Amino acid sequence: DVKVTQSSRYLVKRTGEKVFLECVQDMDHENMFWYRQDPGLGLRLIYFSYDVKMKEKGDIPEGYSVSREKKERFSLILESASTNQTSMYLCASSPTSGVFYEQYFGPGTRLTVT
Amino acid sequence: RKEVEQDPGPFNVPEGATVAFNCTYSNSASQSFFWYRQDCRKEPKLLMSVYSSGNEDGRFTAQLNRASQYISLLIRDSKLSDSATYLCVVNTASSNTGKLIFGQGTTLQVKP
């Protein structure tokens, strides 16, 4: 059974803090993704990675960076947290084999920046 | 125009009703299509993939119309437990990186 875990379910940080969100998958998937989900806006892609040390910007990368040093781990970094980054953050992974690219999601981290 | 569009609802239906959701997508080269289900405050989970010939899984039927670029999900004999948000999902087709585009979701409330 595919498992994607995220380091925290709930996180409260102050404006200006550096924030690390960690994601680990156990299925040897090549692709990993970070999304944020906000009411009325749906899921928006922040960054994704298709291989170790490889990354590509998604639709809303501003204010975020990522790190993928190992295949199973994909980190999202908020360099200087701001209140407009308060959101639900979801990590996902998927294989590159096959056609359908089903994505498996972690449980999410609800981040509040005060 | 959004790449994937859905009616956000909510759809309020009684138990036992049949309900259908539609979704349109803009990229005619898209190859992979899915319906995901997301319960309140939970992560999205794959409900079913959508195949060109249409496919059925119990009370759920998914259809794809490539000519009109829309996908549908039909739920028969609705249960209270079907209450959730249903996300229409399409791959970008422009690369093989597995990038998916998610619709905003359609909310279903099944009432007793």
Side-chain angles (χ1 to χ4, degrees), chain A residues 9 31 33 35 37 40-43 45 48 50 56 59 90 94 96 99-103 105-107 110, chain B residues 31-34 36 38 41-44 46 49-51 87 91 95-104:
Chain A
R9 293 299 301 273
N31 302 322
F33 307 82
Y35 297 89
Q37 188 172 32
L41 297 176
L43 276 161
L45 182 64
F48 67 101
Y50 51 90
E56 281 196 25
D59 301 316
L90 288 155
S94 75
T96 52
V99 178
F100 291 99
Y101 302 122
E102 174 190 346
Q103 289 186 13
F105 284 84
R110 189 166 293 279
Chain B
Q31 298 172 20
S32 303
F33 310 91
F34 308 90
Y36 274 69
Q38 186 172 23
R41 296 187 169 274
K42 298 278 191 167
E43 73 273 22
L46 180 69
S49 301
V50 186
Y51 305 121
L87 305 172
N91 89 314
S95 72
N96 63 354
T97 57
K99 190 177 166 188
L100 299 177
I101 305 297
F102 288 78
Q104 287 195 26

Side-chain angles (χ1 to χ4, degrees), chain A residues 3-35:
Chain A
K3 196 161 184 185
V4 180
T5 56
Q6 294 183 228
S7 49
S8 306
R9 293 299 301 273
Y10 300 93
L11 209 52
V12 180
K13 295 290 182 181
R14 293 192 182 275
T15 302
E17 278 192 83
K18 192 168 185 175
V19 182
F20 294 86
L21 302 182
E22 304 283 340
C23 174
V24 178
Q25 51 97 0
D26 66 359
M27 280 302 290
D28 202 35
H29 286 167
E30 291 82 7
N31 302 322
M32 295 188 77
F33 307 82
W34 274 107
Y35 297 89

Side-chain angles (χ1 to χ4, degrees), chain A residues 51-69:
Chain A
D51 203 350
V52 175
K53 296 192 187 293
M54 305 301 286
K55 60 186 179 186
E56 281 196 25
K57 292 180 180 179
D59 301 316
I60 50 163
E62 297 78 21
Y64 303 94
S65 62
V66 290
S67 171
R68 192 164 180 205
E69 297 296 319

Side-chain angles (χ1 to χ4, degrees), chain B:
Chain B
R1 182 186 172 189
K2 291 179 183 173
E3 290 188 72
V4 178
E5 292 206 62
Q6 297 180 249
D7 179 350
F11 285 62
N12 294 301
V13 303
E15 269 187 292
T18 295
V19 61
F21 308 136
N22 289 327
C23 160
T24 58
Y25 61 95
S26 60
N27 188 340
S28 60
S30 295
Q31 298 172 20
S32 303
F33 310 91
F34 308 90
W35 283 101
Y36 274 69
R37 171 191 168 129
Q38 186 172 23
D39 293 309
C40 188
R41 296 187 169 274
K42 298 278 191 167
E43 73 273 22
K45 291 185 178 178
L46 180 69
L47 177 66
M48 56 198 306
S49 301
V50 186
Y51 305 121
S52 295
S53 54
N55 48 302
E56 190 173 305
D57 183 3
R59 297 181 293 108
F60 298 83
T61 300
Q63 296 277 357
L64 168 64
N65 184 320
R66 284 189 185 272
S68 301
Q69 292 179 218
Y70 81 77
I71 307 151
S72 64
L73 177 68
L74 182 78
I75 305 175
R76 289 181 298 279
D77 188 23
S78 300
K79 311 289 184 193
L80 295 175
S81 57
D82 293 334
S83 297
T85 297
Y86 292 83
L87 305 172
C88 175
V89 185
V90 176
N91 89 314
T92 59
S94 59
S95 72
N96 63 354
T97 57
K99 190 177 166 188
L100 299 177
I101 305 297
F102 288 78
Q104 287 195 26
T106 298
T107 300
L108 172 66
Q109 284 282 349
V110 182
K111 307 285 188 183

